[in-house]
Amino acid sequence: VVVQNMEGAAGVRAANHVFAAGAKDGTVIAGVNQGAAMFQMLGGKGAQYDPARFNWMGSIAWSNNTVYVWAASGVKTLDDAKAREVTMAGSGVISDANIYPAVLNALVGTKFKVINGYPGTNDSNLALERGEVEGRGGGAYSSLVSTRPQWLRDRQVNILAQIGFEKEPDLPDAPLLVDLVKGDEDRQIASLVTLPVAIGYNYWLAPEVAPERMKILRDAFASAMRDPELIAEAKKQSFDIRPKSAVELEQRVREAGRIPQGVKQRAAAILGW
């Protein structure tokens, strides 16, 4: 396996390349942003691929995204975030850190104020510790566990909500976005922005790759996900293997694709896309 990084538009350039320009013999595999499918569905600029035609290989793991605030801020629940403005570290309109506060403001009535200018998770978390902002609207729970375990152990942060289709076992009291919204249209929007979590850390190939080659790759991927040595190595790095099959990913994308275009346009407007 040779890793080839391709910078540009948070993975959009790489997705375009694998979908259209890369070799179609099964030797070029996309390992791009888990939000690539949602980005295209909501009319994201520059997306020249169709997730409905991806040849999914599988997903190695998933972890719910979280909306959390520094405990010293005094904000303990979403109701507190509805009562007053809460500053959140942001990275740009296509970042999870911007997406979830915008959706919660629009659908749940919170008053999150996103402050842009933080390039990534670590910069945002340092801003919390310094008191520059009060919270962050995106970040995988697994990342908190592996990089800031003391925050959880010492209850330095309050997790207000989680984004996923099922709760993290460690977070039984943090509500899911899909459970917070009311009305069919709002639930469809919540499902759309939850799609990346359901897809997880995924791999796919161009639609033209031959079925027999895809079967070999999918079988090999599934076998690897059961390999004791891989699982043991992942645990050493505080990384949980939570695989999903190509069939599961196809089903999730197909369901999201059936959401009416008008609802997708409203979702894009909420996100500022």
Side-chain angles (χ1 to χ4, degrees):
V1 175
V2 178
V3 177
Q4 180 181 354
N5 292 315
M6 186 173 290
E7 297 180 358
V12 172
R13 180 168 170 251
N16 288 342
H17 173 78
V18 175
F19 187 80
K24 307 299 190 291
D25 57 2
T27 62
V28 179
I29 302 170
V32 299
N33 192 309
Q34 59 192 42
M38 180 189 74
F39 186 74
Q40 187 273 344
M41 289 181 187
L42 298 188
K45 185 178 179 181
Q48 298 172 3
Y49 53 85
D50 181 2
R53 297 179 61 213
F54 286 176
N55 254 323
W56 296 99
M57 190 164 72
S59 174
I60 192 171
W62 60 271
S63 176
N64 283 358
N65 273 302
T66 52
V67 177
Y68 53 86
V69 294
W70 200 243
S73 69
V75 177
K76 297 180 179 179
T77 67
L78 284 174
D79 285 338
D80 294 335
K82 294 177 186 179
R84 72 165 179 88
E85 185 177 273
V86 181
T87 56
M88 309 289 277
S91 303
V93 292
I94 66 172
S95 165
D96 290 344
N98 293 58
I99 289 171
Y100 302 130
V103 171
L104 284 164
N105 286 350
L107 304 185
V108 181
T110 51
K111 296 180 180 179
F112 294 123
K113 180 181 179 180
V114 177
I115 309 298
N116 286 317
Y118 298 96
T121 301
N122 191 55
D123 302 278
S124 299
N125 288 341
L126 287 173
L128 259 72
E129 293 173 329
R130 291 194 294 257
E132 294 176 11
V133 292
E134 295 173 288
R136 185 168 188 268
Y141 177 66
S142 60
S143 178
L144 278 178
V145 171
S146 62
T147 65
R148 294 294 197 283
Q150 72 278 11
W151 283 10
L152 302 170
R153 182 191 65 236
D154 301 336
R155 298 185 178 182
Q156 292 179 281
V157 292
N158 295 326
I159 297 177
L160 306 184
Q162 55 184 313
I163 291 82
F165 287 109
E166 56 187 281
K167 288 186 176 182
E168 289 281 353
D170 293 349
L171 304 176
D173 299 324
L176 291 167
L177 172 63
V178 291
D179 293 336
L180 289 167
V181 297
K182 299 177 180 179
D184 289 343
E185 186 172 302
D186 285 3
R187 276 192 288 268
Q188 288 173 330
I189 292 173
S191 294
L192 272 170
V193 299
T194 302
L195 178 63
V197 173
I199 289 174
Y201 303 106
N202 62 98
Y203 300 94
W204 53 268
L205 292 87
E208 295 87 356
V209 177
E212 58 271 19
R213 183 62 56 89
M214 286 308 308
K215 184 180 187 308
I216 292 170
L217 290 168
R218 287 169 180 157
D219 289 348
F221 183 84
S223 178
M225 295 301 99
R226 297 188 298 267
D227 183 82
E229 290 186 20
L230 175 64
I231 294 170
E233 183 67 23
K235 284 184 178 180
K236 287 181 183 178
Q237 300 183 35
S238 299
F239 185 84
D240 288 332
I241 300 293
R242 290 175 167 181
K244 289 190 177 182
S245 69
V247 173
E248 291 177 277
L249 301 182
E250 287 171 358
Q251 182 179 353
R252 282 291 184 189
V253 171
R254 194 180 304 117
E255 290 172 355
R258 287 196 290 263
I259 292 175
Q261 188 61 31
V263 177
K264 293 177 182 176
Q265 290 173 345
R266 183 184 165 214
I270 289 171
L271 301 183
W273 292 6

